[in-house]
Amino acid sequence: MLASGGLIDPFARRITYLRVSVTDRCDFRCVYCMSESMTFLPKAELLTLEELDRLCSAFIREGVNKLRITGGEPLVRRNIIEFFRSISRHLGTGLLDELTLTTNGSQLHRFATALHDCGIRRVNVSLDTLDAEKFSKVTRWGRLQQVLLGIDAAQQAGLRVKINTVALKGFNEDELESLVEWCAGRDMDITFIEVMPMGDIGNENRIGQYWSVKDVRARLEESWTVMDTAERSGGPARYVRLVETGQKVGFITPLSHNFCESCNRVRLNCVGTLYQCLGQEGSVDLRSVLRGRPDDDAALVDAIHAAIARKPKGHDFDYSRGTVGGQMSRHMSHTGG
């Protein structure tokens, strides 16, 4: 039973999806995500795993039924499996429909079985290239073979793997067909994501990186029969199905076609800041309520409802004028995936 009528924003959108960054730290330094010399948050500022549980549980009781754990890289957070074990109790009660995570795959070979044991059935793995040299270049610190071993381990553990690929002009355009074919051969769906203007990434050029997913779809139509579908996974992706392979291909298009009208999600970062919109600077500090009133769940629920009541209609991301419109000062790793 929900403790209230659920979380409804000012535009009558029901908020049922919470994305939670459990750490801003990552063992990669992807060129579109963060600068190589990142300054991370002091560990003392991070919510404890117990505080994360309390906060996520409050959202779940108010109607959130999908919880995605992100980072940074969530699997580098110490004792993160203990958090998964604890929060998975909401799967057993039926309040939570799905518990899942997005990962760079570097630690999956260590944790895949434990994740499955916690009730996780799907994971998203970020992978932009199958070329080891290019992988090292785009991640700066990553090793492709380690990620591929993680994907192997995840599938062997019974996890359904979906690949997330950021469409990067001049970088992985030549791999579009091979990435799709590789995923099809492993019975994996794939989603292509437009690069978003989040944070200072040093000398990298946002406009130079941007490859419209409209153009990605047009390329796919040259090789496969592309069928539109009404399938949704609870997030922003729109899906098509490739007739010849049977796989789903998703498109996340915040620049070429924003998905704000159907937004059902908010993001919580690792210090308890709630972002009502990925592409707006507005936020609410929930950590102060957590720590200032540690035994008062009613106050926490009131703060959550007040935050949802200020959720904006949409974001202002825009590259159409040859400049970076709607640039966010915070990095994606600080935001919640």
Side-chain angles (χ1 to χ4, degrees), residues 221-270:
E221 289 173 341
E222 295 174 8
S223 301
W224 292 282
T225 306
V226 178
M227 287 182 54
D228 288 304
T229 78
E231 295 179 57
R232 299 292 300 276
S233 65
R238 303 298 191 273
Y239 289 98
V240 301
R241 192 168 291 277
L242 304 188
V243 173
E244 291 81 0
T245 67
Q247 80 201 107
K248 285 194 303 184
V249 176
F251 304 112
I252 296 181
T253 57
L255 281 301
S256 63
H257 175 70
N258 78 53
F259 37 74
C260 302
E261 72 282 352
S262 61
C263 184
N264 64 340
R265 69 208 70 90
V266 288
R267 289 170 166 83
L268 180 71
N269 78 0
C270 53

Side-chain angles (χ1 to χ4, degrees), residues 156-294:
Q156 289 165 12
L159 298 173
R160 179 79 182 167
V161 177
K162 179 170 74 70
I163 299 300
N164 284 346
T165 297
V166 177
L168 295 168
K169 194 171 187 65
F171 178 78
N172 54 13
E173 287 174 287
D174 60 336
E175 291 188 78
L176 175 62
E177 292 81 7
S178 58
L179 278 163
V180 170
E181 289 170 353
W182 178 74
C183 288
R186 300 196 58 145
D187 189 28
M188 297 187 298
D189 299 325
I190 183 170
T191 291
F192 292 97
I193 306 170
E194 290 174 340
V195 67
M196 287 177 266
M198 301 289 295
D200 178 9
I201 55 172
N203 296 324
E204 300 294 332
N205 180 358
R206 291 286 191 198
I207 301 298
Q209 292 175 338
Y210 175 59
W211 180 20
S212 170
V213 167
K214 288 182 181 177
D215 297 334
V216 173
R217 174 169 177 152
R219 276 270 300 277
L220 292 175
E221 289 173 341
E222 295 174 8
S223 301
W224 292 282
T225 306
V226 178
M227 287 182 54
D228 288 304
T229 78
E231 295 179 57
R232 299 292 300 276
S233 65
R238 303 298 191 273
Y239 289 98
V240 301
R241 192 168 291 277
L242 304 188
V243 173
E244 291 81 0
T245 67
Q247 80 201 107
K248 285 194 303 184
V249 176
F251 304 112
I252 296 181
T253 57
L255 281 301
S256 63
H257 175 70
N258 78 53
F259 37 74
C260 302
E261 72 282 352
S262 61
C263 184
N264 64 340
R265 69 208 70 90
V266 288
R267 289 170 166 83
L268 180 71
N269 78 0
C270 53
V271 297
T273 303
L274 184 73
Y275 296 104
Q276 301 102 316
C277 176
L278 176 65
Q280 298 285 356
E281 295 286 7
S283 63
V284 174
D285 173 21
L286 295 179
R287 185 180 65 181
S288 61
V289 183
L290 269 175
R291 293 184 175 175
R293 305 179 74 169

